[in-house]
Amino acid sequence: MPAQPDSQAVKAYLTDLQERITNALRATDGGAGFRQDSWERPGGGGGRTRIMQNGMVFERCGISFSHVHGTQLPPSASAQRPELAGRSFEAMGVSLVAHPQNPYVPSSHLNVRYFVAEKADADPVWWFGGGFDLTPYYGFDEDVLHWHRNARETCAPFGADLYPRLKQWCDEYFYLKHRNEPRGVGGLFFDDFDQGGFDHAFALMRSVGDHYLPGYLPIVNRRWAKSYGDRERAFQKYRRGRYVEFNLVFDRGTLFGLQSGGRTESILMSMPPEVSWRYDYHPEPGTPEAALYERFLVVKDWLAGEGDDQRPSAPGQPKNGDSG
């Protein structure tokens, strides 16, 4: 008999995930630590937001757990499944965005979430969603290769076809249509996922959550002490503008949070603290800034030609390539 949805098991995993990531990022930063805000949603539920600002490594890093419920799904949640409009809902998840101080350290994003839509005269409909992606300001092949090898390992227990599917989904989702460019170098994304039954889908969500730190921390440790100047900082602020544009125009999680009456400060914690826009800016040819557009902001198969036995490098142990 198929396993029944177990919201309490999902909640226990998510609260533990927030705790584990908080502890790891606090140790990595070694500076300001996290402020915590517990909040309640007037329509039902609440959450726990943790935010770090002006740390030694992270200029802003937020990780939030939320568990909300209501009598009617917001439009952003039923847009892909219009037959569910009008159902009551329960939604929970962990969302993280890290914006480092050093322009040579990429920003990163993680989200894992669970939805249940219910109706009195019908079985509950549930699904999982989430993923992670990487947004560099200055590109390094070894960082991107490590990130995607880790993403492939995330998917490995679920079949060889899953990584290409979730990578393509990520490439298509984290795409700024008005700029005709991806937000970064991609990763994994999935939504409305109930394939294989509850246990199988829940295991995929856990694998995504558990593989975030092994994917991101080696890159942070490799780059955070690299020297930089005003030029790199100005370019970082300019490129952060793309992050803002995506989150406010396209991101389903942001829209769901705002439409469902969530806590605005927690929803918008993903925004970088300092951003700039320049009119009709184009980097000088041959510069590292131009290389970001030419080599890294291009949708492609980074692991083409690699065998399935590749594994991510261990933290602090870069593979061959630039380690500066």
Side-chain angles (χ1 to χ4, degrees):
M1 184 174 179
Q4 295 301 304
D6 188 345
S7 295
Q8 287 305 310
V10 178
K11 183 175 182 178
Y13 170 77
L14 292 172
T15 54
D16 178 69
L17 178 67
Q18 186 192 35
E19 197 69 26
R20 287 187 283 127
I21 294 179
T22 298
N23 292 337
L25 295 180
R26 180 189 294 117
T28 297
D29 186 86
F34 283 88
R35 162 186 168 177
Q36 176 170 300
D37 290 327
S38 296
W39 52 274
E40 293 185 0
R41 174 178 169 271
R48 184 173 65 186
T49 297
R50 292 172 177 172
I51 189 85
M52 177 194 299
Q53 300 195 98
N54 299 316
M56 299 291 291
V57 174
F58 299 105
E59 188 172 4
R60 173 177 290 167
C61 181
I63 177 167
S64 181
F65 165 76
S66 62
H67 181 197
V68 301
H69 50 86
T71 58
Q72 187 168 327
L73 274 169
S76 61
S78 59
Q80 306 299 313
R81 308 276 288 271
E83 73 276 10
L84 301 181
R87 288 196 177 208
S88 63
F89 73 94
E90 178 183 19
M92 63 182 82
V94 165
S95 183
L96 176 150
V97 176
H99 292 294
Q101 298 272 10
N102 193 317
Y104 289 108
V105 183
S107 290
S108 70
H109 162 257
L110 164 73
N111 178 264
V112 283
R113 57 187 179 271
Y114 171 66
F115 278 80
V116 182
E118 296 184 287
K119 191 176 181 181
D121 58 349
D123 291 335
V125 177
W126 56 267
W127 67 91
F128 291 92
F132 47 59
D133 70 297
L134 191 73
T135 307
Y137 307 99
Y138 290 89
F140 298 92
D141 281 19
E142 66 166 335
D143 293 351
V144 182
L145 290 171
H146 167 79
W147 181 256
H148 280 286
R149 287 168 182 152
N150 179 71
R152 182 174 59 190
E153 184 170 271
T154 301
C155 299
F158 307 94
D161 66 327
L162 189 63
Y163 167 69
R165 282 175 51 205
L166 300 196
K167 179 198 179 295
Q168 181 179 354
W169 205 341
C170 183
D171 290 337
E172 292 173 355
Y173 180 72
F174 291 105
Y175 196 85
L176 286 84
K177 300 176 183 66
H178 61 288
R179 297 284 190 180
N180 197 30
E181 67 184 41
R183 186 168 83 170
V185 295
L188 303 174
F189 181 81
F190 66 104
D191 204 0
D192 301 318
F193 192 91
D194 59 4
Q195 299 172 19
F198 179 82
D199 286 346
H200 181 266
F202 185 21
L204 173 61
M205 190 198 78
R206 293 198 306 271
S207 189
V208 170
D210 293 345
H211 278 83
Y212 168 74
L213 289 173
Y216 189 48
L217 289 188
I219 299 171
V220 175
N221 291 332
R222 192 179 295 148
R223 306 290 171 203
W224 74 269
K226 186 175 176 65
S227 61
Y228 66 91
D230 292 343
R231 169 178 169 168
E232 293 88 349
R233 179 66 170 161
F235 187 64
Q236 178 196 45
K237 290 182 181 181
Y238 172 74
R239 287 299 311 172
R240 281 175 171 178
R242 300 293 204 269
Y243 217 96
V244 174
E245 291 176 19
F246 180 86
N247 279 21
L248 293 183
V249 176
F250 298 112
D251 187 66
R252 289 184 200 165
T254 302
L255 294 174
F256 173 81
L258 295 174
Q259 290 174 357
S260 64
R263 182 173 183 261
T264 301
E265 288 299 311
S266 298
I267 297 163
L268 298 182
M269 72 174 186
S270 62
M271 298 304 169
E274 293 190 23
V275 188
S276 66
W277 278 265
R278 305 183 207 173
Y279 180 76
D280 199 26
Y281 167 76
H282 300 280
E284 291 291 329
T287 62
E289 293 80 11
L292 178 73
Y293 292 84
E294 294 163 0
R295 176 161 181 76
F296 295 93
L297 296 182
V298 178
V299 174
K300 62 181 177 179
D301 180 2
W302 283 91
L303 304 184
E306 288 196 352
D308 290 336
D309 59 345
Q310 293 286 343
R311 291 294 180 264
S313 56
Q317 299 295 319
K319 295 182 181 292
N320 292 335
D322 180 44
S323 58

